[in-house]
DNA sequence: CGCAAGTTTGACGCTGCTCAATCACTGTGG
DNA sequence: CCACAGTGATTGAGCAGCGTCAAACTTGCG
C-alpha cells in the first residue's frame, strides 16, 4: 500500500520521463513503498553523496561498536551476522543494492550484530545525524524507512521458518528461490534464469544452521536431480518449478509484487530536475 | 480494570513530567523509546479506546486475511505463527502487554502470518485507518512505532540465532532467559524469580524447531540439574546464573536497558524525566 | 609457482526425530 | 459422583538426518 502524499513540486508538463542526474538506489528502494516528491529525492541524494568503494571481506559495522555512520549498499553484496563465543556464526540476512545497513542504530547506537561485505562494493556513507534529521524533517522518508524495516522483518520471519521447520534440502531450495526473486526485482537475473551470488558454501551453511559438509552434499543432490547448478559463484536454475515446489516458496513476504521496476527506471529513479519523478509517477 | 479517562482535564503540574491519568500499555511501551507529549498520549488513548476481552485460542489475525483492524495487547499473551502445508508450525514470537500486532499491515494489508491468543486477554482494537492517520499527524508516534518494529526485528534475529546455532538445551535456556527479562520489565516476575507463562510444551517445540518429545526431555534435564522448574504454566528459575551461562544470554538486544520503568511509573506512561530527555535529545 | 581458501569425499556417531503407548489433569454430561 | 473424552505430559525403543573429523582435491590469487 502506498501512501498518497501529494507531491509538492509543480505538476509534470508531459508524461515524458525527466532527465536524470544521478541514479540512486536508495530512491529506487524507498520509492517502492512511498511516493517521494522531488524534495525528498533531493534530500536523499544529498545525504547519500559521500561514496566509498570497499572490498570483499571488509567490515562495515562491527558488533558492539557505536558507529557515527550508517551505510547504504549502492553496488555489491553485504551480510549481517553475529558470532557466538564458541566460533559459530549465524547469518541474519543479506544486503543488496538499495538496502540500508541499518536503520537499527536509530534505536540505540550500539550494534547487536556485524555487517560485512561479500564482494567489492560501492557504499554510501550517511551520518546518523543526517539520516535522523532528514527523517524528522521529511515524514515520507521516515515512513519509507519504516516500510523497509517491516519488509526486512518479514524476510527475517521467513528465514526463521526456514531454519526452524524445513530440512536441509528444502532450506537450500528456499534460499535460492528468495535470491532469485530479490535479484530479479533488481534486474540482476540473466535471461537464462541464472544469477551471480558471491557467497561460499560456508555462508550458505551459516545462513541455514547447517555444516558446510552437509550443504555440499545437498548441492550435489540439486545437481543430480537436475534442479539447480551452483558453481563459481553462480546459480543456474534448471527446473524452476521443481525448485519452488521443493521449497514451498511463496514470494509474498518479499513485498515485491506489483512494484517491480523496469531496470532502466530503477537506475534512473534518481534525482530529476524540476518536475515529478519517474518513480513517483510509477507509483501513483 | 483499565478505565477510559480522558487525560485532557488536567494540566501538567511540572514542566517535565506530564501526568497521565490513564494507564495505557501502548503509551508505556512507546514511551520507552520516544518522549511523547500530552497530545500524543491523548491520541493514543483515543485510538486504543475500543477494547475487547478475548479468550485463549482465539485468533486475532488470520494469515491471508486483509484485516481492517490492528490489535494491541492490553493484558494477556499472544503468539505470531505460520503453518506450513504439511502441518508443521513455526512460532515467530510472542506478544506481551503493550505490543502491537502488528504494524506490518502498514506495508501491505495482506498478512503473511497469523496471530493467536494463549490466555484470556484484553485487546485494544485499532482501525488501521486511525493508526495510519495518527502516525502521519504525529511524527513522534510514527518514530516510536518504528522503534518498536526495530526492537521486534532484533528479537527475531536473536531467535534465528537461537534456532540456527544452539542445541536444544541451550535453546530452551535462552528462551527462558528472554521471557524472564521481558516479563521483568513489565513487572510480571514475582519476588522469588518465578513467572507465569501460559504455553504448552507444544508451543515451546514450535518456537525452537524441536519436537515435543525432545522438549520434554530437556525440561527434565533442567529439573534434574536444578536449574529450572516448569510446571502448571509456571517457570521457576532455581539457578539464574547457570541458566544464563547455558544460554549465553545477553539482554542487550531487547533494548530494555536504562529504561526499565518502575511498575507504578509504567502505569503512568513511563514518562520519567531522565529517560524522556535521553530519547528527546535523540530526536532533536 | 605456491599458498590459502574453498570444495569434495568417506567413515562414523550423536542429537534429535518417529512411532506408539501410557499417564495425568480438567472439564463435561449423565 | 463417576465415566468419559480431550488435551497435554511422559516414557521407551529404534532410527536417520545431520554433525564431526580428517584428508584430498581444486580454484583463485599474489
Amino acid at each position: 500500500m502506498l501512501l498518497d502524499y501529494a507531491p509538492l513540486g509543480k505538476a509534470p508538463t508531459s508524461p515524458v520521463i525527466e532527465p536524470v542526474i544521478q541514479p540512486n538506489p536508495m530512491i529506487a528502494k524507498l520509492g517502492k513503498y512511498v511516493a517521494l516528491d522531488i524534495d525528498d529525492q533531493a534530500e536523499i541524494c544529498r545525504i547519500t553523496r559521500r561514496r566509498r568503494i570497499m572490498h570483499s571481506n571488509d567490515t562495515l559495522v562491527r558488533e558492539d561498536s557505536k558507529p557515527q555512520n550508517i551505510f547504504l549498499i549502492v553496488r555489491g553484496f553485504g551480510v549481517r551476522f553475529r558470532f557466538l563465543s564458541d566460533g559459530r556464526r549465524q547469518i541474519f540476512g543479506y544486503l543488496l543494492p538499495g538496502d540500508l545497513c541499518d536503520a537499527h542504530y536509530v534505536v540505540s547506537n550500539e550494534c547487536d550484530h556485524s555487517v560485512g561485505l561479500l564482494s567489492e562494493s560501492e557504499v554510501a556513507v550517511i551520518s546518523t545525524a543526517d539520516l535522523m534529521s532528514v527523517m524528522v524533517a521529511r515524514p515520507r522518508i521516515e515512513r519509507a524507512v519504516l516500510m523497509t524495516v517491516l519488509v526486512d522483518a518479514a524476510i527475517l520471519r521467513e528465514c526463521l521458518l526456514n531454519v526452524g521447520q524445513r530440512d536441509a534440502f528444502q532450506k537450500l531450495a528456499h534460499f535460492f528461490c528468495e535470491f532469485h526473486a530479490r535479484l530479479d526485482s533488481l534486474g540482476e537475473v540473466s535471461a537464462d534464469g541464472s544469477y551471480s551470488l558471491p557467497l561460499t558454501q560456508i555462508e550458505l551453511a551459516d545462513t541455514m544452521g547447517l555444516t558446510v559438509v552437509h550443504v555440499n552434499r545437498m548441492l550435489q543432490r540439486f545437481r543430480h536431480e537436475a534442479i539447480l547448478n551452483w558453481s563459481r559463484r553462480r546459480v543456474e536454475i534448471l527446473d524452476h518449478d521443481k525448485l519452488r515446489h521443493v521449497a514451498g516458496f511463496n514470494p509474498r513476504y518479499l513485498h515485491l509484487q506489483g512494484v517491480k521496476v523496469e531496470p532502466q527506471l530503477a537506475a534512473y529513479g534518481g534525482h530529476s530536475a524540476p518536475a515529478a519523478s519517474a518513480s513517483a509517477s510509477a507509483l501513483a
Side-chain angles (χ1 to χ4, degrees), chain A:
Chain A
M1 182 197 319
L2 291 167
L3 283 191
D4 202 11
Y5 287 101
L8 301 174
K10 58 177 181 177
T13 50
S14 85
V16 176
I17 291 157
E18 295 299 324
V20 168
I21 296 174
Q22 181 193 16
N24 186 308
M26 185 169 179
I27 294 176
K29 169 104 184 191
L30 297 186
K32 284 181 184 176
Y33 304 114
V34 170
L36 301 171
D37 72 21
I38 194 68
D39 295 327
D40 294 328
Q41 296 188 28
E43 279 297 277
I44 291 174
C45 283
R46 186 178 63 75
I47 65 173
T48 59
R49 194 173 292 152
R50 249 166 83 210
R51 300 293 172 87
R52 244 175 103 182
I53 303 293
M54 301 186 72
H55 303 288
S56 185
N57 293 321
D58 281 359
T59 298
L60 284 185
V61 179
R62 198 176 306 277
E63 191 187 333
D64 290 324
S65 66
K66 297 181 188 249
Q68 298 308 304
N69 293 306
I70 290 181
F71 300 92
L72 174 93
I73 307 289
V74 175
R75 179 177 50 78
F77 217 98
V79 233
R80 280 196 247 265
F81 62 90
R82 217 176 100 198
F83 279 102
L84 250 38
S85 49
D86 62 1
R88 284 173 303 179
R89 174 177 70 156
Q90 177 67 46
I91 288 178
F92 296 127
Y94 295 88
L95 300 168
L96 269 36
D99 286 344
L100 213 48
C101 127
D102 48 3
H104 181 245
Y105 314 134
V106 177
V107 185
S108 116
N109 61 353
E110 188 154 325
C111 314
D112 64 8
H113 64 280
S114 305
V115 180
L117 291 176
L118 292 171
S119 67
E120 199 200 78
S121 305
E122 180 179 356
V123 302
V125 184
I126 308 173
S127 87
T128 53
D130 265 7
L131 182 64
M132 297 281 278
S133 63
V134 167
M135 278 171 45
V136 170
R138 316 220 126 247
R140 273 178 233 93
I141 293 178
E142 173 142 16
R143 169 61 53 94
V145 169
L146 171 58
M147 301 274 195
T148 65
V149 171
L150 286 168
V151 171
D152 284 353
I155 294 176
L156 218 42
R157 276 194 297 270
E158 196 68 23
C159 192
L160 179 58
L161 177 76
N162 207 28
V163 172
Q165 301 300 327
R166 297 194 240 252
D167 69 25
F169 195 57
Q170 297 173 313
K171 286 181 195 186
L172 282 164
H174 193 275
F175 179 90
F176 290 123
C177 284
E178 176 173 324
F179 274 85
H180 178 86
R182 288 175 68 186
L183 290 171
D184 193 30
S185 88
L186 294 171
E188 301 273 359
V189 173
S190 343
D192 63 355
S194 71
Y195 55 90
S196 122
L197 202 62
L199 321 189
T200 68
Q201 295 181 14
I202 302 173
E203 270 92 36
L204 284 189
D206 288 349
T207 304
M208 335 270 185
L210 298 168
T211 56
V212 201
V213 175
H214 204 65
V215 165
N216 185 277
R217 287 181 176 128
M218 292 300 112
L219 290 176
Q220 288 172 49
R221 190 173 152 199
F222 278 110
R223 234 172 277 144
H224 185 253
E225 299 190 12
I227 296 176
L228 177 148
N229 221 314
W230 157 289
S231 70
R232 28 184 86 237
R233 308 292 130 96
R234 207 168 171 84
V235 176
E236 193 184 346
I237 298 178
L238 305 173
D239 188 336
H240 213 140
D241 288 343
K242 219 154 157 187
L243 183 67
R244 264 198 304 259
H245 181 256
V246 169
F249 184 69
N250 179 343
R252 176 189 48 185
Y253 70 97
L254 292 170
H255 298 280
L256 300 167
Q257 66 294 7
V259 294
K260 182 184 166 179
V261 190
E262 312 302 308
Q264 68 277 24
L265 279 179
Y268 294 106
H271 188 169
S272 52
S277 74
S279 55
S281 57
L283 291 165

